[in-house]
Amino acid sequence: MELTIYLAGEIHSDWRAKLKDQASSLPYTLHFTGPMENHSRSDDIGEEILGKQPNAIFKDDAASAFNNLRTQVLMQKSDLVIALFGEQYKQWNTAMDASAALTMNKPLILIRPEKLHHALKELSRKATVTVETPEQALKAVSYIFETE
C-alpha cells in the first residue's frame, strides 16, 4: 500500500523536508505533495500566466486563483492531509487548507503546538487527529500500516 499525503502549512521553514527525510526510512511508500514552496513563484504565478496586472491587489487575486487550483487538484488526489500550524507565521493559508480538506472529506492530521490549543480548538475537534509535532503526525501515519 502507498499513500499520497498533502502537506499543508507555512512554507517558510523546512518542516516538510525534515518530515520527508524521516519518512524515507520507513518500510512503506509515502508520496508527498503540497503548496508551491517557492514563495516568489507563488506570488508571481498569476502575472506569469496572465501577464502584468494593473496593481498589487489584482496581482494577488490572479496568483490566488492559480494557487487555489493547484491546492484543489493536489489535495483531491491525496489520501490524507497533514496541516501544520506553526507559532512563528500567520497561518491563514493553513486554516484554509485544513478547512478544504474537511470539505473534501479527507482525513486530516492537524499539527498544532499546545500554545495554539485555544485558538484552534474548533478546528482541532473537526480534524481526524490532532498532534503537537510533525514526528507525532508521522507516527500516526505509520500506525495505518501496522497489521498487528
Side-chain angles (χ1 to χ4, degrees), residues 122-143:
E122 284 82 11
L123 186 56
S124 180
R125 294 290 291 171
K126 295 281 187 181
T128 310
V129 174
T130 299
V131 297
E132 293 183 356
T133 67
E135 293 77 22
Q136 290 174 333
L138 197 55
K139 286 180 182 179
V141 171
S142 293
Y143 182 67

Side-chain angles (χ1 to χ4, degrees), residues 64-130:
S64 294
F66 294 105
N67 286 317
N68 286 338
L69 172 67
R70 177 190 170 98
T71 298
Q72 184 177 1
V73 169
L74 295 178
M75 195 177 285
Q76 283 180 345
K77 291 184 172 291
S78 297
D79 300 301
L80 169 71
V81 175
I82 296 176
L84 172 85
F85 282 88
E87 296 183 46
Q88 186 174 1
Y89 301 100
K90 294 178 178 129
Q91 304 294 313
W92 299 306
N93 286 348
T94 309
M96 185 181 75
D97 287 352
S99 296
L102 292 169
T103 300
M104 292 179 200
N105 205 27
K106 297 289 180 180
L108 173 64
I109 299 175
L110 187 72
I111 304 171
R112 60 119 180 91
E114 184 178 347
K115 178 180 174 181
L116 297 178
H117 169 79
H118 182 74
L120 296 170
K121 65 186 181 296
E122 284 82 11
L123 186 56
S124 180
R125 294 290 291 171
K126 295 281 187 181
T128 310
V129 174
T130 299

